[in-house]
Amino acid sequence: MKPLKAELMLFVVTMFWGSSYLFMKMGLGSLGEFNLIALRFGLAFILAAVLFHKRLRTVDARTVKYGALLGFLLLGVFTCITFGLKTTTTSNAGFLVALTVVFVPMLEVLVFKKRVAPPQLFGAILAISGIGLLTLNGSLQVRPGDLLCILSAVFYAVQILVTARAVKTGDSLNIGILQLGFAGGYALILSAVFETPSLPATLPGWIAVLALGIFCSACGFILQPVAQKHTSPTRTGLIFALEPVFAAFFGYWFVHEKLSLQGYTGAALVLLGIVASELLGKLHFVPPARMLKKRRANL
């Protein structure tokens, strides 16, 4: 798969995830937090397992271990977002979760000692600035929900990096399927302990669960590792920066929320950050020492 095709696939995944905020609010009207997460990922796993049951027969122990780890990270992401929204605003949550764009290259540098190209850092700065304009309506205040959303962004960044490493040595499709099953299983256990697991009792609840399970989870988290195998973690993080843009679009389309001039400016900056990283990142950067060595070799 060519990088461009992989990045377009991640673009579609991001669109699904942008719509998930709307469906999560619908689902939480009649379901508990862990209950909703369990139904979402449980349905996604069942659908994926039925469609790719022959492929799952080739699962090995290494793939199961990665699936279990990624499932735990997914549970961390969505648990933090769901509970964080109780004590913070949607705009604050959108900005803080989008800090994933910044945490991905930071973790690559701090943990994996990997050098990040200047164009990618420049693109990340533009994108995070745009997210701030798009989602922040006032001064940022530190509240428990804010801290949970920051933690969610950390989980997201780690999930992106672990996925990048996992797909290099394992079956990307099986990893994507298994992480759904583990995330749903973990959430079901927590729901049984802290809540009363149940099925949706309203039509909006069923719509939310089906949309979250089929599109936002089954399609999203299976396509993510498949596509991410053919692009870099930093570019993956930048594409995921479009999530609040799509969230704003779906909010406008379905509940008639309108963006201010500041919001449209922020959306433009997010897009500019991604384009800058994509175009400038293709320029071949040659370190001075290597360039000097090449010049000497040509003499």
Side-chain angles (χ1 to χ4, degrees), residues 44-110:
F45 172 71
I46 292 172
L47 291 175
V50 170
L51 290 174
F52 301 102
H53 63 278
K54 293 183 179 179
R55 187 72 168 267
L56 285 174
R57 295 175 184 174
T58 63
V59 169
D60 55 16
R62 186 182 186 88
T63 302
V64 172
K65 290 179 181 178
Y66 272 122
L69 175 57
L70 290 171
F72 173 77
L73 293 173
L74 284 182
L75 177 69
V77 170
F78 290 98
T79 298
C80 290
I81 293 175
T82 304
F83 283 93
L85 284 171
K86 287 187 171 183
T87 55
T88 190
T89 63
T90 302
S91 58
N92 275 17
F95 172 75
L96 294 172
V97 173
L99 283 172
T100 302
V101 178
V102 174
F103 288 147
V104 167
M106 286 177 58
L107 288 175
E108 282 195 307
V109 172
L110 295 175

Side-chain angles (χ1 to χ4, degrees), residues 124-139:
I125 292 172
L126 283 178
I128 202 64
S129 300
I131 291 170
L133 290 174
L134 179 66
T135 59
L136 283 178
N137 296 323
S139 59

Side-chain angles (χ1 to χ4, degrees), residues 13 16-17 20 36-37 39-45 47-48 74 78 176-177 179-180 183 208-225:
V13 169
F16 289 152
W17 289 344
S20 67
L36 179 61
I37 295 172
L39 288 173
R40 170 182 182 168
F41 288 108
L43 174 60
F45 172 71
L47 291 175
L74 284 182
F78 290 98
I177 295 172
Q179 70 175 343
L180 299 175
V209 168
L210 292 174
L212 290 169
I214 297 172
F215 297 105
C216 303
S217 298
C219 293
F221 289 104
I222 291 175
L223 292 179
Q224 180 203 351

Side-chain angles (χ1 to χ4, degrees), residues 3-273:
L4 178 60
K5 185 177 180 180
E7 288 162 11
L8 287 175
M9 191 179 295
L10 290 174
F11 183 85
V12 173
V13 169
T14 305
M15 182 178 66
F16 289 152
W17 289 344
S19 69
S20 67
Y21 290 94
L22 177 64
F23 293 120
M24 279 192 287
K25 285 190 175 183
M26 291 172 57
L28 290 172
S30 59
L31 296 168
E33 290 82 5
F34 291 122
N35 195 171
L36 179 61
I37 295 172
L39 288 173
R40 170 182 182 168
F41 288 108
L43 174 60
F45 172 71
I46 292 172
L47 291 175
V50 170
L51 290 174
F52 301 102
H53 63 278
K54 293 183 179 179
R55 187 72 168 267
L56 285 174
R57 295 175 184 174
T58 63
V59 169
D60 55 16
R62 186 182 186 88
T63 302
V64 172
K65 290 179 181 178
Y66 272 122
L69 175 57
L70 290 171
F72 173 77
L73 293 173
L74 284 182
L75 177 69
V77 170
F78 290 98
T79 298
C80 290
I81 293 175
T82 304
F83 283 93
L85 284 171
K86 287 187 171 183
T87 55
T88 190
T89 63
T90 302
S91 58
N92 275 17
F95 172 75
L96 294 172
V97 173
L99 283 172
T100 302
V101 178
V102 174
F103 288 147
V104 167
M106 286 177 58
L107 288 175
E108 282 195 307
V109 172
L110 295 175
V111 178
F112 299 108
K113 309 299 181 182
K114 182 177 179 180
R115 182 178 180 180
V116 180
Q120 293 174 325
L121 288 177
F122 175 66
I125 292 172
L126 283 178
I128 202 64
S129 300
I131 291 170
L133 290 174
L134 179 66
T135 59
L136 283 178
N137 296 323
S139 59
L140 185 63
Q141 300 176 352
V142 179
R143 287 174 285 190
D146 295 328
L147 295 177
L148 283 173
C149 289
I150 292 173
L151 182 59
S152 173
V154 175
F155 272 117
Y156 239 139
V158 174
Q159 196 265 354
I160 290 172
L161 293 174
V162 173
T163 298
R165 176 157 295 192
V167 297
K168 290 181 179 179
T169 58
D171 187 311
S172 57
L173 180 59
N174 282 342
I175 290 173
I177 295 172
L178 290 178
Q179 70 175 343
L180 299 175
F182 278 106
Y186 297 148
L188 181 59
I189 293 173
L190 292 173
S191 180
V193 174
F194 298 106
E195 303 167 349
T196 302
S198 64
L199 294 174
T202 63
L203 179 59
W206 276 109
I207 293 174
V209 168
L210 292 174
L212 290 169
I214 297 172
F215 297 105
C216 303
S217 298
C219 293
F221 289 104
I222 291 175
L223 292 179
Q224 180 203 351
V226 173
Q228 195 177 330
K229 187 175 184 178
H230 303 279
T231 189
S232 69
T234 301
R235 287 190 178 179
T236 299
L238 284 168
I239 293 172
F240 287 169
L242 279 172
E243 185 174 320
V245 178
F246 284 119
F249 169 78
F250 286 112
Y252 170 80
W253 186 263
F254 290 102
V255 293
H256 308 294
E257 293 178 353
K258 295 183 179 180
L259 287 176
S260 63
L261 178 60
Q262 173 182 316
Y264 285 113
T265 303
L269 279 177
V270 171
L271 294 173
L272 182 60

